[in-house]
Amino acid sequence: MKITINNREYNMPENISILEAVKKANIKIPTLCYIEGKEPYGGCRLCVVEVEGSKTLVPSCAVKISEGMKIKTHSEKVRKVRKTIMQLIVASHGISCELNCLTCPKATSCELKTIAEEIGVTKINIPPVEKNLPTDFSSYSIVREPTKCIVCGRCIRTCSEVQSVNIFTFANRGPNTIVTTFMDEGMGNVDCTNCGQCVMNCPTGALHEVYHIDGVWKAINDPEKITVVQTAPAVRVAIGEPFGLEPGTISTGKMVAALRLLGFDKVFDTNFTADLTIVEEGTEFIHRFKEGGKLPLFTSCSPGWIKFIEHNYPEFLPHLSSAKSPQQMFGAVAKHYYAKKLGVPKEKLVVVSIMPCTAKKYEMHRPELAGDVDFVLTTRELAKMIKESGIDFKNLPEEEYDDPFGISTGAGAIFGASGGVMEAALRTAYEILTGKELEKLDFTSVRGLAGVKEAEVEINGKIIKVAVVNTLGKARQLLEKMKNGEVEYHFVEFMACPGGCIGGGGQPIPTTEEVLLKRMEAIYEIDYDSKLRKSHENPAVKKLYEDFLEEPNSEIAHHLLHTHYVARN
Amino acid sequence: MLEEKIFLKSDVEKTMDNYEFLGLKKSLEMKSEDIVKKITDSGLRGRGGAGFPTGKKWEFALAQKNDVKFLICNADEGEPGTFKDRFLLENMPFKVLEGIIIAAYAVKANFGYIYIRGEYSKAIDIFEKTIKEAYHRGLLGKNILGSNFNFELRLIKGAGAYVCGDETSLINSIEGKRGFSRIKPPYPVQRGLYDKPTVVNNVETLTTVAEIMKYEDNIFAKLGTEKSRGTKLVSISGDVKLPGIYEIEFGSGTLKDIIELAGGTKDELNFVVPGGLATSILKYDEINIPYTYEDLENAGSSVGSGGMIVVSQKHDLIDILLNVSDFFVKETCGTCFPCREGNRNIKEILLELKKKGYKEEYKKIIGELREAILLAARCGFGQSSVNFIYSVLDKFFYEEVR
């Protein structure tokens, strides 16, 4: 299809929007309410362009190209209107001394700032609007500051279209329109899963995690405390981004070095307890499989997913693995085994997690789990602390994790990507069930960014059907199908966030599909390069059973490493 | 051309005995395509405000291949200064009903809604009774008047949002969603209520349809001018001696004549809003133009919904502007930034203007806001929300105060 963009002719595929066509022509149009891959919303109007024959400007996100269309993307008229709209947005963003950009949590990832610069807004002729809306501190995971909200609806649409959770809504009318939760109850009092995808999509500082940074600094600086830190699999492939490294740069060694420089006494790896999770969960699967227990077995590592099923599908709760998540297993082992080993009371030990996830902050507070983990920092918070300390992350020499919880396998690493838990579990379950060595370790059909992935494995002549799901929207779809008996599986992995933990709500912003793919690639690279790639072969895990836990699913293992769930409807 | 039958709401049953539904009866003997053609030939344009050719809309809808189509009568009249639909709903409910059924038959819609503004409690009462009685008499339901046409009609009460008069917001509202406009395209005739092809017509439009179909020849097309066919109900209010509803044949007189018809002004005339507050004003010396779509558009205004407000010189202009601005600030839906934030800022500027008097420096920012809202707002509400205010500023402040 022939169209003209800024007096140049282009041949474009049919059925694409003006915005997509312009992008193909290597021109960038500013957008604010637009979410790639989602239905256009047409609220911010920043993406308007001039189309010959149209009286008004045309929103490029919402209008498809047509044969012979003549488009001007940055004409005088367009630039003027964009500038005015941007001024209106900035004025409504509560720009005053108390809300200064300098102190905003999103200061380094603020889309408003970026776009204002791109559009060339240097002066605001419009008086700022005072909103004076109270900040919502009701959630363990996410803080909402409505004063900074520009009512673009991206959180609403992400929560409903991607996650099918629908905790946000618009309220009121006109300039009084706000984004709020059901009956204005606050995020901690509605069916929020704490997944943090709203934070990832918020262009301003109106949504951010509950910061644990101050508490962590206090613990580090307290000579009475021993601080141990664990790092989740998906953090190492993303932590470099805030320091200018390419997405997918494997920064494990630098991260360990940085954590030591921050002052942590021991730096451990959540990958270790990921291996432990696989041994416990794999054993649980084998039990259920052999003895006719509740199948399919659902994985339970993702706390967003757990809260989702507790709210929406309590009838499926018996399907969940009782194994705690790697974060909580680590907390339990640290407080009940490691403290003893060190000969200190567990109160002296402060356990900090570095997680790609906002829901982990909620998870550590669950009554069933509370007390084992003391603080959870997101990847973004860790980056902030490293910056605060003036550490030149990019040029740090690499260091190794501490013993004994620094030893892990490739199977633990792939927990970071959607499909990883399943793949790791299959490697272990296969070998334990058949007693034979698994020849091909890679279950490539469960990898990638597709919403639902399926695979079949033959074990002892029986076909085992597995599925891997990422995003809660897709989880809902699959559970509905399961309810109607349309699909049957033996084992299903669920992750709340797109792409799994690499796309978690605590990861650096922006996390685009392109970024996700790079992080995912890095995760599998770590696996390939590992000497050990099967959880049950982890020598430290084996030793832990010998010294302390006896055997998988033993009484003590059950006491420390397993949990239960609650119906929340 | 509209005959008048005033009655009380208790009279629905009795009065329906005397109403013959001639237009409907004739229509049911015709093919859908022929009805659409007759309406197209009549030159009828939508009477809600946008003025889109009714026949054309029906033609698009009829061409849609879908098992389910909807016909919606838009009775969410909310344009300030406009009250003609209320008059029709309260006084000629059968003719409105007749128009609805004809339209549904013409576009092959088997389900319909009449969406009445919540504040119109009397109209709602009357229409509820009308629908009930119509089912009773076989005018709604299966095999209408012995034909093989089936049509179900339900009444929906609006909750009180001006923007729900916009057809896409109205559709969202019926679906139980927030009254936000939808992005067009797709247009409602392609994908409307519950994603099905949907025709939304105004009350006056449908009433006129019933009248057009009643006659063998196209008397409607013979009235008015070439581009503005037929007659139009004009609601006149403000500083005239005889405010009310007048049926005006297009081109039969000037705006000045219409004001005279309404008894003339009480004090010296200042300006006229010809088509509701979403249209631009015409000053006292601009009203010697014929009342037609084309002449009003040439003068920079519009027929709009026909809500003519006459304003004499005894009012303070800033107070009027603030009043109107307040309306648009209260009623903007909040979806799109230029309309939501722009209208808020216009009001701020007007408040300043009232406090400190006109200042030259307002002009630049006012101009910028106007352009952004006019060119970039998401729906018709936004785009027209600045017409009144800016035409007053242009015609009074820029010239005289400068």
Side-chain angles (χ1 to χ4, degrees):
Chain A
M1 186 179 278
K2 274 211 175 66
I3 60 165
T4 309
I5 302 172
N6 301 340
N7 299 322
R8 270 193 189 206
E9 256 195 29
Y10 292 90
N11 225 331
M12 289 286 171
E14 275 171 50
N15 217 23
I16 59 170
S17 68
I18 297 177
L19 188 69
E20 288 165 306
V22 170
K23 200 178 166 194
K24 280 180 194 294
N26 295 316
I27 295 163
K28 194 182 169 199
I29 293 178
T31 60
L32 200 48
C33 69
Y34 176 74
I35 310 176
E36 205 171 332
K38 299 269 155 311
E39 285 269 308
Y41 178 65
C44 75
R45 316 307 282 183
L46 285 178
C47 75
V48 288
V49 294
E50 216 175 312
V51 171
E52 201 179 272
S54 175
K55 263 202 297 192
T56 56
L57 298 178
V58 172
S60 61
C61 67
V63 176
K64 298 231 161 91
I65 55 165
S66 56
E67 185 66 48
M69 194 180 245
K70 289 195 170 72
I71 302 158
K72 283 192 176 140
T73 63
H74 287 77
S75 66
E76 184 61 33
K77 208 194 235 173
V78 168
R79 286 191 296 119
K80 218 173 132 194
V81 166
R82 268 188 207 144
K83 269 187 190 172
T84 309
I85 298 173
M86 198 61 213
Q87 282 190 47
L88 289 168
I89 296 169
V90 176
S92 77
H93 178 53
I95 182 157
S96 66
C97 283
E98 299 94 82
L99 295 159
N100 200 302
C101 286
L102 298 174
T103 55
C104 178
K106 288 259 183 90
T108 51
S109 57
C110 178
E111 267 185 67
L112 282 194
K113 218 162 80 179
T114 315
I115 294 170
E117 195 186 343
E118 279 171 12
I119 291 177
V121 174
T122 51
K123 201 180 147 204
I124 307 295
N125 295 323
I126 296 156
V129 183
E130 294 283 337
K131 282 191 196 156
N132 291 328
L133 296 164
T135 301
D136 174 5
F137 289 115
S138 60
S139 161
Y140 280 126
S141 291
I142 294 160
V143 178
R144 216 164 47 85
E145 298 189 35
T147 333
K148 292 177 184 170
C149 175
I150 56 161
V151 200
C152 68
R154 261 162 61 176
C155 55
I156 302 179
R157 284 178 291 140
T158 305
C159 192
S160 93
E161 287 172 39
V162 180
Q163 300 296 51
S164 75
V165 174
N166 293 309
I167 68 145
F168 293 118
T169 183
F170 289 117
N172 306 336
R173 190 153 74 189
N176 297 324
T177 307
I178 52 164
V179 174
T180 182
T181 50
F182 174 72
M183 299 293 281
D184 213 12
E185 297 235 4
M187 293 186 74
N189 306 316
V190 293
D191 293 4
C192 175
T193 66
N194 305 298
C195 73
Q197 288 305 313
C198 55
V199 176
M200 302 299 282
N201 274 285
C202 178
T204 73
L207 285 163
H208 58 83
E209 61 269 59
V210 174
Y211 292 119
H212 287 188
I213 296 180
D214 289 349
V216 172
W217 276 129
K218 212 175 152 196
I220 287 175
N221 293 326
D222 185 343
E224 293 293 304
K225 304 277 186 195
I226 297 165
T227 49
V228 298
V229 63
Q230 57 163 328
T231 64
V235 176
R236 66 207 64 198
V237 295
I239 184 68
E241 291 165 31
F243 302 97
L245 292 170
E246 263 294 289
T249 308
I250 300 167
S251 309
T252 321
K254 289 181 194 298
M255 177 176 68
V256 172
L259 287 165
R260 280 212 186 93
L261 286 171
L262 288 178
F264 285 104
D265 296 309
K266 291 286 172 190
V267 183
F268 293 134
D269 197 352
T270 315
N271 289 16
F272 168 78
T273 35
D275 281 334
L276 191 60
T277 302
I278 285 303
V279 173
E280 287 295 324
E281 204 170 80
T283 310
E284 190 182 5
F285 174 70
I286 291 164
H287 274 290
R288 290 197 193 191
F289 186 67
K290 275 186 173 166
E291 285 152 29
K294 204 79 160 165
L295 286 178
L297 180 69
F298 292 170
T299 61
S300 57
C301 308
S302 163
W305 145 248
I306 294 295
K307 193 146 182 278
F308 177 80
I309 185 172
E310 287 179 330
H311 277 298
N312 300 289
Y313 293 93
E315 67 269 34
F316 279 107
L317 287 179
H319 288 268
L320 279 171
S321 162
S322 64
K324 286 181 187 173
S325 69
Q327 148 163 300
Q328 293 304 138
M329 280 201 187
F330 183 93
V333 171
K335 288 267 162 103
H336 297 275
Y337 169 73
Y338 189 64
K340 223 182 266 175
K341 223 180 129 173
L342 290 179
V344 298
K346 64 175 185 170
E347 290 71 30
K348 260 190 95 169
L349 205 69
V350 177
V351 176
V352 179
S353 317
I354 314 294
M355 292 284 144
C357 180
T358 45
K360 290 284 169 192
K361 290 178 189 270
Y362 170 81
E363 187 183 51
M364 64 163 262
H365 281 108
R366 283 181 68 111
E368 305 85 6
L369 304 168
D372 288 345
V373 174
D374 298 293
F375 297 104
V376 173
L377 298 172
T378 60
T379 313
R380 296 188 294 266
E381 284 175 277
L382 175 60
K384 269 186 218 286
M385 288 181 71
I386 296 172
K387 283 185 181 170
E388 273 179 39
S389 307
I391 296 166
D392 178 10
F393 187 84
K394 249 173 140 174
N395 296 312
L396 279 183
E398 306 207 341
E399 290 180 20
E400 297 279 332
Y401 283 106
D402 286 307
D403 278 342
F405 308 136
I407 301 170
S408 63
T409 70
I414 55 175
F415 264 59
S418 160
V421 177
M422 178 58 67
E423 191 169 341
L426 287 178
R427 290 178 191 174
T428 290
Y430 181 91
E431 297 205 346
I432 291 176
L433 275 168
T434 61
K436 283 187 275 184
E437 197 176 325
L438 186 62
E439 281 171 21
K440 204 174 154 282
L441 284 181
D442 304 327
F443 294 88
T444 44
S445 55
V446 297
R447 297 181 179 179
L449 288 179
V452 179
K453 297 165 278 186
E454 291 175 318
E456 289 184 357
V457 196
E458 197 194 311
I459 297 181
N460 293 341
K462 272 189 188 157
I463 297 285
I464 294 188
K465 285 180 77 176
V466 304
V468 168
V469 184
N470 68 95
T471 77
L472 297 172
K474 290 285 188 275
R476 186 185 289 280
Q477 283 173 18
L478 194 84
L479 289 171
E480 286 300 326
K481 277 188 182 168
M482 236 175 245
K483 248 184 177 172
N484 301 332
E486 289 169 52
V487 286
E488 271 182 33
Y489 300 105
H490 294 96
F491 201 175
V492 189
E493 176 202 302
F494 289 95
M495 288 289 157
C497 295
C501 302
I502 45 169
Q507 291 283 59
I509 298 169
T511 293
T512 59
E513 201 178 302
E514 199 187 328
V515 171
L516 277 183
L517 286 169
K518 286 182 179 167
R519 290 182 193 156
M520 185 175 271
E521 225 171 84
I523 287 274
Y524 288 110
E525 200 183 318
I526 295 174
D527 176 32
Y528 285 129
D529 293 344
S530 300
K531 281 191 210 99
L532 296 168
R533 296 184 61 195
K534 289 172 266 183
S535 297
H536 58 286
E537 291 179 353
N538 183 331
V541 170
K542 283 185 191 168
K543 179 128 196 332
L544 185 66
Y545 280 107
E546 275 166 28
D547 289 357
F548 184 59
L549 292 171
E550 294 161 16
E551 59 176 10
N553 269 310
S554 67
E555 213 187 301
I556 179 157
H558 235 271
H559 176 64
L560 285 181
L561 307 182
H562 290 256
T563 183
H564 60 275
Y565 310 100
V566 286
R568 293 180 194 269
N569 49 350
Chain B
M1 101 187 234
L2 297 167
E3 53 198 295
E4 198 173 316
K5 281 198 176 74
I6 308 274
F7 61 93
L8 301 168
K9 55 187 171 182
S10 57
D11 285 344
V12 169
E13 211 174 312
K14 208 171 71 203
T15 356
M16 214 184 241
D17 282 337
N18 303 323
Y19 190 81
E20 291 182 291
F21 291 95
L22 270 178
L24 175 62
K25 282 173 187 159
K26 284 185 180 163
S27 298
L28 288 173
E29 285 163 13
M30 292 166 71
K31 279 199 280 185
S32 286
E33 288 76 7
D34 296 334
I35 300 174
V36 173
K37 190 175 179 302
K38 186 164 178 176
I39 296 301
T40 306
D41 291 344
S42 77
L44 175 64
R45 292 170 65 167
R47 297 305 199 224
F52 191 81
T54 307
K56 207 83 203 146
K57 196 186 262 187
W58 289 12
E59 214 179 292
F60 288 141
L62 186 59
Q64 297 291 317
K65 302 227 173 336
N66 207 312
D67 291 345
V68 178
K69 288 182 200 174
F70 292 103
L71 187 284
I72 297 173
C73 173
N74 183 350
D76 191 53
E77 185 175 51
E79 182 68 22
T82 309
F83 37 86
K84 42 116 188 158
D85 288 348
R86 175 180 179 173
F87 176 85
L88 294 173
L89 290 164
E90 289 180 2
N91 299 301
M92 302 176 195
F94 311 142
K95 206 185 291 286
V96 177
L97 176 76
E98 188 182 12
I100 292 173
I101 306 169
I102 293 170
Y105 177 74
V107 301
K108 295 196 185 342
N110 298 113
F111 302 93
Y113 291 94
I114 176 163
Y115 186 100
I116 306 184
R117 176 179 185 177
E119 292 89 332
Y120 283 0
S121 53
K122 187 180 173 196
I124 289 167
D125 273 1
I126 289 174
F127 221 85
E128 266 170 358
K129 289 197 173 72
T130 302
I131 290 177
K132 202 171 154 205
E133 191 59 28
Y135 270 106
H136 188 62
R137 291 170 192 240
L139 286 154
L140 288 171
K142 289 212 156 56
N143 301 324
I144 289 170
L145 297 179
S147 72
N148 55 8
F149 177 58
N150 307 327
F151 181 66
E152 305 287 338
L153 181 68
R154 298 282 177 275
L155 188 150
I156 303 258
K157 279 182 253 185
Y162 173 64
V163 76
C164 286
D166 165 79
E167 56 180 2
T168 60
S169 310
L170 189 153
I171 286 168
N172 273 342
S173 172
I174 295 180
E175 288 183 6
K177 296 175 185 155
R178 198 172 154 85
F180 274 0
S181 65
R182 293 182 181 178
I183 292 174
K184 293 189 274 190
Y187 293 94
V189 288
Q190 299 162 304
R191 220 168 87 193
L193 187 64
Y194 303 115
D195 288 339
K196 303 291 181 192
T198 303
V199 171
V200 184
N201 283 143
N202 174 260
V203 172
E204 187 188 345
T205 314
L206 291 168
T207 317
T208 313
V209 162
E211 204 65 11
I212 293 169
M213 295 311 294
K214 197 161 89 180
Y215 300 98
E216 293 297 336
D217 63 342
N218 217 331
I219 58 156
F220 186 83
K222 288 174 194 151
L223 294 167
T225 67
E226 178 61 29
K227 284 179 182 163
S228 308
R229 304 277 184 83
T231 63
K232 171 89 189 80
L233 290 187
V234 180
S235 327
I236 305 181
S237 61
D239 300 325
V240 284
K241 291 190 186 118
L242 298 167
I245 294 161
Y246 296 83
E247 186 176 11
I248 308 289
E249 184 188 347
F250 278 118
S252 63
T254 63
L255 285 183
K256 200 174 171 203
D257 294 335
I258 297 175
I259 295 169
E260 292 302 317
L261 199 67
T265 53
K266 291 174 187 164
D267 299 292
E268 199 78 7
L269 176 69
N270 202 7
F271 64 85
V272 176
V273 191
L277 288 186
T279 61
S280 298
I281 64 143
L282 294 170
K283 262 174 101 167
Y284 50 85
D285 56 356
E286 295 176 300
I287 58 168
N288 271 319
I289 53 165
Y291 186 74
T292 66
Y293 283 102
E294 55 273 26
D295 287 292
L296 280 164
E297 271 156 38
N298 282 339
S301 191
S302 154
V303 167
S305 62
M308 196 179 285
I309 306 170
V310 180
V311 181
S312 74
Q313 290 180 359
K314 70 173 183 186
H315 302 281
D316 179 51
L317 278 177
I318 303 285
D319 284 343
I320 293 177
L321 285 173
L322 265 171
N323 194 322
V324 172
S325 175
D326 199 48
F327 172 78
F328 284 104
V329 171
K330 281 201 175 106
E331 295 294 343
T332 169
C333 77
T335 312
C336 86
F337 295 14
C339 178
R340 178 181 78 210
E341 300 300 330
N343 273 302
R344 180 213 313 252
N345 278 290
I346 289 171
K347 192 181 155 189
E348 291 296 318
I349 291 167
L350 291 171
L351 281 168
E352 284 279 300
L353 225 148
K354 180 162 172 71
K355 257 192 281 177
K356 298 177 186 164
Y358 181 84
K359 280 188 196 147
E360 185 65 20
E361 67 206 56
Y362 294 139
K363 202 179 156 189
K364 183 171 176 284
I365 180 71
I366 281 175
E368 282 172 8
L369 290 174
R370 158 200 256 167
E371 200 173 17
I373 298 172
L374 210 61
L375 290 174
R378 194 166 180 267
C379 73
F381 169 89
Q383 285 156 18
S384 59
S385 64
V386 293
N387 286 340
F388 175 89
I389 293 163
Y390 280 111
S391 55
V392 170
L393 285 173
D394 277 350
K395 290 180 180 175
F396 290 96
F397 288 81
Y398 289 165
E399 275 178 16
E400 293 177 6
V401 184
R402 209 181 335 173

